[in-house]
Amino acid sequence: MTQHGDRWALRASALFDGRALHRGRPLVVIDGDRIADVDLSGAPPSPDLRTVDLGDATVLPGLVDSHTHLTFDPHGDVPRQMREEDDGFLAAMARRHARQALAAGITTVRDLGDRGYVCLAIRDAAEPDLPEILAAGPPITRTGGHCWFLGGEADGADGLAEAVRERARRGTDVVKIMATGGMLTPHWASHESQYSEDELAVAVRTAHALGKPVTAHAHGVRGLADAVRAGVDGVEHCTFLTATDAEPDWTTIQAMCDAGTFVGVEEARLPGDDSVLPGQVRRMLEARGEYLARMSRAGARVVGCSDAGINARKPHDVLPYGVISFAQLGFTTVEALASVTETAARACGVGDRKGRVAAGYDADLLAVGGDVGDGLEALLNVITVVRAGRTIPGNN
């Protein structure tokens, strides 16, 4: 990483601080690995303050991808690799993918499914050229269930409670549980529930007693309702699938709004021909496009994320495309950006120090060319990425 000294500053023509867009040549002062001050006055900086003036650019909080799979190769056979490759191979791939994310301005990633807790070891190494990593370890799934090949199989109330305790002992940041089946594994269809509401509630109670949040992979209408009633802190996908269609359940949506449940929406994907997607996936995307913004306006805490690694349209730097997609679905610029900054940081439990450009917050920043208020495609034009107060190579 490029050294700038203990105290320096970034200046640009615009700033998104996690909540609002400001113009008039704001100045962000960095001291060590924290933001020391944000000056919106447009006044000249102190002559003795080293200042990097980016000109026509927007400074934002570093993006937060709350749902990624660092050990998944988007161009490979994920189930085979998870069964056959050793931990060293997976760790090297995870580091490569993490660097790819960081180069795109994603300064925090939450891995929601690895094998053998590989990402916890990388997290604990705190390598300076990587984003901050939060990790769930292997997601909990029933025997033969969705992503069973990651090693997280557990059945029944006692099995679930022990699986949660194991994750707490290992120090995971979150517990992930597969409430329904999924598209990557054939044994349980995406709309089918893998656990009952009572079983999910056991997992939640056990995790909360140990100070761990729970997020549930949930595609099916019933699985979503059961997970929310069981008290999960977040749901991933939230696609409201049935055996034949996708239809939002507004009773469950209202329950999520009332409970403050975080709703991870993996909208990020590279542009491509959606007509070649399986019929169920097309119906899911079409239905979500109709209800997503309405759900957000109703008070749902919608988090933009990627599910990076599961296929070729989801590389590990794809998150900005999800922000662009949110705007196309009816989100305002501020709403779309907040979904991958402040709201995402809160969903990950780091909202007290990530997702904002404000004094006292981590100096994790992204600067892009132009004004994001004129079009979120500006997020694809990365000028500078700052991680823990230092610019990363190739972005300075």
Side-chain angles (χ1 to χ4, degrees), residues 180-183 188-193 217-220 241 280:
T180 72
M183 298 173 191
W188 291 87
S190 298
H191 70 280
E192 293 180 317
S193 295
H217 161 105
H219 280 293
L241 292 182
Q280 187 183 42

Side-chain angles (χ1 to χ4, degrees), residues 42 113 138 245 363:
D245 212 338

Side-chain angles (χ1 to χ4, degrees), residues 60-84:
L60 310 94
L63 307 185
V64 177
D65 193 341
S66 66
H67 187 152
T68 187
H69 298 280
L70 292 174
T71 58
F72 285 20
D73 178 1
H75 302 288
D77 181 340
V78 171
R80 183 197 63 76
Q81 288 178 331
M82 294 303 119
R83 293 193 306 268
E84 297 178 5

Side-chain angles (χ1 to χ4, degrees), residues 243-259:
T244 59
D245 212 338
E247 183 67 34
D249 174 2
W250 288 98
T251 299
T252 297
I253 290 172
Q254 187 59 55
M256 289 190 291
C257 295
D258 294 342

Side-chain angles (χ1 to χ4, degrees), residues 1-6 8 10 30-34 102 107 128-129 362-365 384-393 395-396:
M1 290 191 176
T2 303
Q3 299 277 354
H4 279 290
D6 288 339
W8 62 289
L10 273 179
I30 298 163
D31 193 346
D33 62 359
R34 293 296 181 96
L102 184 60
T107 56
D129 63 336
D362 290 358
D364 287 357
L365 301 167
T384 296
V385 177
V386 178
R387 168 78 177 101
R390 300 181 181 187
T391 56
I392 67 168
N395 292 278
N396 51 43

